[in-house]
Amino acid sequence: MSNTPASPTAILFDLDDTLIDDAASSSAGLRAVMERIGHPDFGAARALWDIQTELSFGAYLRGHLSLDEQRRERIRALAVQAGHNELADQHCDELYRLYLEVQRTAWQVFPDTHSTLAALGQAGYRLAIVTNGIEALQHAKLQALELTGYFHTVVCADTAGAGKPDARIFQFAAQRLGVDPTACWHVGDQLQSDGVGATAASMHPVIIDRAGRSPIEGVTAIPDLEGLLRLLGLPSAVGAL
């Protein structure tokens, strides 16, 4: 773990797979689509879905694809893997709606999310969300999981005009919070979008690594959200609420 800088004024958070278990909910949606198209191999489907999402959603963030087009690309890649070489746009759209409907029923926070955010709020930190997710969907998650009230602002790539790892989305969030970027920490699960992006914006990145990957020299890593409280010298929030 790297040397931790002075305590921040504000803390920014990624949302999916940092505060919310997106891997679990997206897997539920993925299995529903697989069942509909007769795809037999979850491991292969999950790996492909993750790669295609990075490619297609990245193209959407860069303005090269529309929201619907990137969703269709992801569904078509899965369908081809299952042996379906032709899929009409309407069928892709129906399958993606199924994915979203099932995913929504499986939304859940990590066990330490609420207690950690409450402890940070009580300690006086200004909190924000910085996410590449679609604004309407991300706000729906925050509301459904009773997270909205913890945050002073929520910044999403599709309305901010830039997505992580572009430094501008982090700087925009700091501006909304009324703090200098150098007074911010950013907590996320991705080295590139969260770690590199926050560093480019002059923020201190903290990477949450629940999978226990090999440590990277110079990277501040925590195993869970309780680890953030330890970094800040705050008491554990477990059992305190």
Side-chain angles (χ1 to χ4, degrees), residues 28-41:
L30 182 59
R31 288 183 186 278
V33 174
M34 288 174 61
E35 183 177 356
R36 186 68 60 87
I37 65 176
H39 193 306
D41 187 340

Side-chain angles (χ1 to χ4, degrees), residues 54-70:
E54 183 175 352
L55 293 172
S56 299
F57 195 75
Y60 163 71
L61 289 175
R62 294 189 298 273
H64 299 160
L65 293 174
S66 70
L67 180 61
D68 286 339
E69 286 169 344
Q70 66 87 18

Side-chain angles (χ1 to χ4, degrees), residues 3-239:
N3 293 328
T4 304
S7 183
T9 300
I11 303 174
L12 285 55
F13 288 90
D14 172 55
L15 184 57
D16 295 330
D17 290 321
T18 296
L19 301 177
I20 293 174
D21 191 351
D22 184 67
S25 62
S26 66
S27 289
L30 182 59
R31 288 183 186 278
V33 174
M34 288 174 61
E35 183 177 356
R36 186 68 60 87
I37 65 176
H39 193 306
D41 187 340
F42 177 76
R46 180 78 252 187
L48 175 64
W49 186 257
D50 290 344
I51 292 169
Q52 192 63 52
T53 296
E54 183 175 352
L55 293 172
S56 299
F57 195 75
Y60 163 71
L61 289 175
R62 294 189 298 273
H64 299 160
L65 293 174
S66 70
L67 180 61
D68 286 339
E69 286 169 344
Q70 66 87 18
R71 288 174 168 176
R72 290 167 187 158
E73 277 198 354
R74 292 156 65 190
I75 291 292
R76 283 197 173 100
L78 195 66
V80 168
Q81 192 180 54
H84 308 288
N85 293 324
E86 297 292 336
L87 216 61
D89 286 352
Q90 182 179 357
H91 194 188
C92 290
D93 296 343
E94 290 170 354
L95 288 170
Y96 201 86
R97 281 195 296 271
L98 172 65
Y99 169 80
L100 289 177
E101 289 167 3
V102 175
Q103 182 193 34
R104 183 182 293 264
T105 67
W107 286 343
Q108 59 183 344
V109 296
F110 289 106
D112 53 0
T113 294
H114 279 286
S115 58
T116 299
L117 294 175
L120 293 172
Q122 290 167 6
Y125 292 102
R126 295 182 64 77
L127 305 179
I129 291 288
V130 178
T131 172
N132 280 350
I134 306 302
E135 180 158 4
L137 183 60
Q138 301 299 69
H139 276 286
K141 290 178 186 176
L142 290 167
Q143 184 173 5
L145 297 172
E146 300 182 343
L147 294 174
T148 303
Y150 294 116
F151 298 101
H152 295 85
T153 190
V154 176
V155 177
C156 302
D158 58 334
T159 52
K164 298 184 292 184
D166 193 312
R168 290 175 296 172
I169 189 171
F170 298 94
Q171 293 162 346
F172 183 56
Q175 183 179 25
R176 276 193 173 180
L177 289 172
V179 299
D180 191 274
T182 58
C184 299
W185 288 9
H186 175 72
V187 182
D189 67 302
Q190 296 294 318
L191 280 172
Q192 179 66 24
S193 60
D194 295 308
V196 173
T199 300
S202 300
M203 297 182 181
H204 179 71
V206 177
I207 300 299
I208 187 163
D209 177 19
R210 291 187 179 86
R213 295 167 293 193
S214 298
I216 298 176
E217 186 176 356
V219 174
T220 300
I222 53 177
D224 50 33
L225 289 169
E226 280 279 312
L228 179 61
L229 300 183
R230 292 190 290 271
L231 280 179
L232 294 166
L234 296 175
S236 171
V238 173

